Amino acid sequence: MGLVAAAARPHPGGMAEVLLFHHICGQTPGFLAFADDLRSEGHTVHTPDLFGGRTFDSIAAGEEYARKVGFSALLDAGVAESDDLPDDLVYAGLSFGVLPAQKLAQTKPGARGALLCYSCVPVAEFGERWPAGVPVQVHGMDADPIFVDEGDVEAARELVGQADRGELFLYPGDGHFFADPVDPGFDPRAAELLRARVVGFLAGLT
């Protein structure tokens, strides 16, 4: 048994406690539906709102707001959301939300796992290597200009290669928020696959 697993408190019936960070458009109906879906499986899901109730109808509009506030300030605010929560969380993020999720998974002792959807940053951004004993899944589309052309897929391959239990799932298509039912890039088949894999990942954590 690894050090992280040994330090974690038991969870009933394989249930996980998840700290889930929203994407660059904020806490949209699709994001909230994703969180509720995980709750329906019996997991505890915390969904901090880093945008103070603001939502945006495009990635560009969300990025403009984030630049005004400061990406570093938003990242720090996301990391601080874990301060009053247990240590053995699953850190999860959608796109922009991957930043605080990945940083916490790499830097906060006791992480139970990580779920990185639509984005991934190089491991070197937050440490020398992915921490031992922290399982991780990364999800993205194989022709998404953001995930592929901006280097996320290469970062994801490096990350899962370092993890004791790491999985990179690439789905055919070019959508970014492909599992969000209210997004123009929604792909029902890929969304169902992502859901099944995420549910299986959480259920398999002990």
Side-chain angles (χ1 to χ4, degrees):
M1 180 180 292
L3 292 176
V4 171
R9 59 189 170 90
H11 291 256
M15 295 299 102
E17 192 161 356
V18 182
L19 181 55
L20 174 65
F21 294 99
H22 60 76
H23 49 60
I24 198 67
C25 294
Q27 291 202 341
T28 60
F31 167 80
L32 295 173
F34 181 72
D36 285 341
D37 192 25
L38 298 185
R39 292 185 183 109
S40 74
E41 295 291 324
H43 305 294
T44 299
V45 183
H46 305 276
T47 53
D49 188 350
L50 302 183
F51 286 2
R54 297 171 183 81
T55 58
F56 303 93
D57 58 9
S58 70
I59 290 174
E63 287 180 338
E64 181 179 2
Y65 172 75
R67 279 193 295 270
K68 288 179 181 177
V69 176
F71 280 95
S72 294
L74 290 167
L75 174 58
D76 290 344
V79 170
E81 290 289 339
S82 71
D83 289 349
D84 296 324
L85 295 173
D87 291 335
D88 57 334
L89 296 172
V90 176
Y91 298 108
L94 309 184
S95 192
F96 160 80
V98 161
L99 290 170
Q102 186 172 332
K103 182 171 183 177
L104 283 163
Q106 285 191 229
T107 63
K108 189 164 184 178
R112 198 168 176 211
L115 288 166
L116 312 178
C117 299
Y118 315 141
S119 297
C120 186
V121 297
V123 171
E125 288 289 325
F126 304 124
E128 293 184 0
R129 61 176 295 107
W130 188 257
V134 179
V136 57
Q137 280 188 352
V138 186
H139 301 264
M141 279 200 151
D142 62 6
D144 170 18
I146 296 174
F147 190 73
V148 175
D149 297 345
E150 295 184 9
D152 296 58
V153 67
E154 285 84 4
R157 289 190 175 110
E158 178 192 18
L159 188 158
V160 300
Q162 293 183 12
D164 298 330
R165 177 183 158 199
E167 298 172 298
L168 168 60
F169 294 109
L170 292 174
Y171 304 78
D174 61 3
H176 189 59
F177 300 140
F178 64 87
D180 187 326
V182 299
D183 188 82
F186 177 60
D187 184 317
R189 184 176 180 182
E192 183 55 35
L193 271 174
L194 181 147
R195 180 193 184 279
R197 287 163 172 166
V198 167
V199 168
F201 176 84
L202 293 176
L205 296 175
T206 57

